[in-house]
Amino acid sequence: MEIAIVGSGYVGLVTGVCLAHIGHRVVCIDNDQAKIRQLQKGHVPIYEPGLEELLKKYYKSGRLSFSGSIAEGAKKATVVFIAVGTPSKKNGDADLTYIENVAREVARSMDSYKLLVEKSTVPAETGKRIERTIRLNMHPRFKNSKKGAPQFDVASNPEFLREGSAVEDFMNPDRVVIGVETKRAERLLREVYAPLKAKIVVTNLATAEMIKHASNSFLATKISFINAVSRICDRVGADVEKVAEGMGFDKRIGRAFLNAGVGYGGSCFPKDVDAFVRLAEKSGYDFHLLKSVRQVNAEQKASFVRLIEDKIWNLKDKTIAVWGLAFKPDTDDMRSAASLDVIHALQHEGAAVRAYDPKGMERARNLLPGVKLCADAYAAVKGADCLLLLTEWKEFSSADFKKVMKAMRQAIIFDGRNFLDGEALSDMGFEYYGIGRGHVQKT
Ligand code: NAD
């Protein structure tokens, strides 16, 4: 099939490359002309395991191409995926300006049937607005034409991939959700995904939009739930890791997303929870459960900083080493990373921060002024009064901790992801603090 993807960011690029991989002809479009020029030179602007090899392969073979213009790029396509950003507005609403712009541009250049598919995460009823925007913005020549305007459909196909394993997730989805209002749209989307042989869930448009919001908010709820439990564990001498393990064996609960830590971040959970709270509010329901999820997440970061302050004493003029800046391992994405809030709070108290992340340094540069970005994990701990682990990159667990201890001024580790072997580190002589591991923290 001829497919266009509008928005070539984390979701759009992965979707485009993977759809080419399963046999379609794909054009990835973006209005960031510098990004398109980079892509046309075969340079991948984001880090995502496995993406670069596939992108180069299909670009070379001609099955994948890049364009800076919707009119040109989407001309031949029957299916047009919209994968532009939907950031938060100040009041928590999803900002749908980019979606509207794309709908308008597609409408103006449309001269044959198109299926527009929401891939971006959008609140329920966005599909209806896209449809209206297209009708209002079709080329004026169709007003008097005998044949009438070209037909089109709008569908929802929310994306569930996880950054860091996005290619793998796209190829092996737990399910593909398609929200459609016509048989034609259903048939086309089934055809797009047929090579994956995945479980396909067909719903109407609004239901598919809700599935995405409800899924992300539920996952955020699981994280905040175990984080809340971790706070009690600290006070009663229980180990949250064992609690999660014991809970996780129950099939009704499952172990996934029960990892206590400094809280969730990233480009999705914070904004999607905000948007769902707002959508609920507008529909007349006060989603107080989700408001608490958000509050627990914020408190988790604050309590981590308080723990550091409690054990380090004065933060002013202390040197704090940070391992991991990206919002999760195997990505360079720094959007709403927990590291940002923690580091800003430490800097506010007068601490100097030295940091290292395997892939996130380039993006961290502008977001973390005043932080000394170091060449590797060992350079970061030089002269440090304590070490914080904020992203669970594999390389940190296999570090040479004898070397680390030698380089530090005080051998104290705060493991914000319960990722390191706390017992082994304590045996080596480190003071080790995880999250909810049973060290009493009465704050
Ligand atoms: P992103 O910021 O990485 O990419 C968005 C791209 O759209 C950018 O390259 C931007 O230049 C481009 N763009 C904006 N307006 C445009 C226009 N008018 N024409 C052409 N291009 C335009 O965002 P992302 O992380 O890929 O997320 C995209 C959407 O997918 C969001 O709604 C997000 O919530 C959702 N989503 C993201 C993830 C994830 O893990 N990142 C997972 C599932 C769903």
Side-chain angles (χ1 to χ4, degrees):
M1 277 175 102
E2 297 280 348
I3 296 176
I5 316 272
V6 186
S8 302
Y10 284 88
V11 167
L13 261 192
V14 170
T15 304
V17 168
C18 292
L19 288 176
H21 184 59
I22 61 173
H24 302 295
R25 288 184 69 83
V26 182
V27 186
C28 285
I29 303 166
D30 207 287
N31 63 355
D32 179 342
Q33 303 302 331
K35 189 182 266 189
I36 291 297
R37 277 195 299 276
Q38 270 192 322
L39 286 163
Q40 285 169 337
K41 284 184 198 146
H43 178 77
V44 185
I46 54 167
Y47 174 72
E48 189 56 54
L51 184 65
E52 188 165 351
E53 298 88 299
L54 289 180
L55 185 144
K56 285 186 168 152
K57 181 174 167 191
Y58 295 110
Y59 183 45
K60 213 168 154 199
S61 76
R63 218 193 275 169
L64 177 68
S65 57
F66 303 102
S67 170
S69 141
I70 291 181
E72 176 203 289
K75 199 169 177 48
K76 280 205 259 166
T78 314
V79 182
V80 180
F81 284 93
I82 307 178
V84 297
T86 48
S88 281
K89 285 197 217 170
K90 274 211 174 80
N91 66 0
D93 277 341
D95 181 348
L96 301 173
T97 316
Y98 301 134
I99 302 270
E100 183 181 348
N101 289 346
V102 173
R104 195 174 295 131
E105 267 191 74
V106 170
R108 285 198 186 127
S109 58
M110 196 156 92
D111 53 12
S112 59
Y113 173 85
K114 303 249 179 269
L115 170 61
L116 263 93
V117 186
E118 303 164 352
K119 200 41 130 176
S120 304
T121 303
V122 291
E125 302 206 319
T126 303
K128 278 192 196 152
R129 290 192 179 272
I130 294 178
E131 194 177 331
R132 179 174 150 76
T133 305
I134 293 178
R135 283 199 197 292
L136 288 171
N137 287 276
M138 278 199 177
H139 199 281
R141 75 173 186 275
F142 292 119
K143 284 213 174 97
N144 304 318
S145 110
K146 276 194 193 128
K147 267 171 47 191
Q151 290 187 334
F152 68 95
D153 283 306
V154 179
S156 162
N157 169 222
E159 187 48 64
F160 299 98
L161 58 75
R162 298 162 298 174
E163 287 178 27
S165 54
V167 173
E168 176 68 23
D169 289 350
F170 191 95
M171 299 297 186
N172 303 290
D174 293 336
R175 76 313 202 183
V176 172
V177 174
I178 58 179
V180 287
E181 299 291 331
T182 68
K183 280 280 163 219
R184 187 179 193 176
E186 179 181 341
R187 182 178 53 74
L188 282 169
L189 276 171
R190 280 190 183 277
E191 206 177 316
V192 168
Y193 286 107
L196 290 182
K197 299 191 172 19
K199 163 95 192 134
I200 300 206
V201 178
V202 183
T203 67
N204 68 12
L205 235 163
T207 305
E209 290 166 336
M210 278 294 279
I211 288 173
K212 175 63 185 174
H213 265 307
S215 300
N216 271 11
S217 294
F218 185 74
L219 292 173
T221 304
K222 267 189 115 175
I223 297 174
S224 277
F225 181 84
I226 200 68
N227 279 338
V229 170
S230 81
R231 302 290 296 282
I232 312 168
C233 287
D234 269 337
R235 289 163 166 82
V236 301
D239 181 349
V240 74
E241 289 299 307
K242 294 280 172 209
V243 173
E245 196 185 318
M247 290 169 67
F249 283 118
D250 187 327
K251 287 192 200 67
R252 295 168 304 173
I253 298 173
R255 177 67 180 80
F257 280 75
L258 288 181
N259 297 317
V262 281
Y264 61 76
S267 69
C268 290
F269 286 175
K271 90 169 165 59
D272 292 351
V273 168
D274 281 352
F276 206 22
V277 167
R278 286 288 296 159
L279 178 67
E281 238 162 57
K282 284 187 202 162
S283 69
Y285 175 66
D286 181 0
F287 210 149
H288 34 79
L289 174 64
L290 273 189
K291 288 180 181 169
S292 296
V293 164
R294 203 163 51 179
Q295 194 187 336
V296 169
N297 197 54
E299 281 169 7
Q300 201 66 9
K301 289 176 253 185
S303 110
F304 188 64
V305 172
R306 280 201 302 273
L307 172 69
I308 298 165
E309 199 168 10
D310 183 37
K311 304 298 173 192
I312 293 292
W313 198 8
N314 301 299
L315 288 174
K316 191 165 179 288
D317 298 332
K318 291 277 162 57
T319 298
I320 297 187
V322 173
W323 281 2
L325 298 170
F327 88 96
K328 63 188 282 194
D330 295 319
T331 179
D332 58 350
D333 198 346
M334 287 289 304
R335 290 176 288 182
S336 302
S339 64
L340 298 174
D341 289 336
V342 171
I343 290 174
H344 288 148
L346 295 170
Q347 285 180 315
H348 184 73
E349 292 297 322
V353 177
R354 301 169 64 82
Y356 168 72
D357 186 280
K359 295 285 178 197
M361 306 275 269
E362 206 40 55
R363 292 183 195 274
R365 213 169 292 282
N366 295 329
L367 299 169
L368 289 170
V371 170
K372 168 90 184 139
L373 297 173
C374 301
D376 60 33
Y378 301 105
V381 293
K382 215 168 151 198
D385 294 286
C386 67
L387 164 63
L388 320 184
L389 184 133
L390 297 183
T391 316
E392 61 276 38
W393 286 93
K394 249 195 206 130
E395 70 169 73
F396 297 144
S397 63
S398 53
D400 177 348
F401 280 96
K402 275 194 192 134
K403 199 168 155 187
V404 170
M405 188 180 259
K406 246 194 203 156
M408 293 179 74
R409 191 153 68 169
Q410 301 184 141
I412 308 178
I413 295 180
F414 297 94
D415 182 356
R417 300 290 173 191
N418 286 346
F419 181 61
L420 302 172
D421 184 342
E423 251 172 62
L425 290 170
S426 301
D427 289 347
M428 278 180 71
F430 280 99
E431 235 179 74
Y432 171 87
Y433 299 98
I435 305 282
R437 309 303 299 268
H439 42 76
V440 183
Q441 179 215 348
K442 289 208 164 60
T443 49

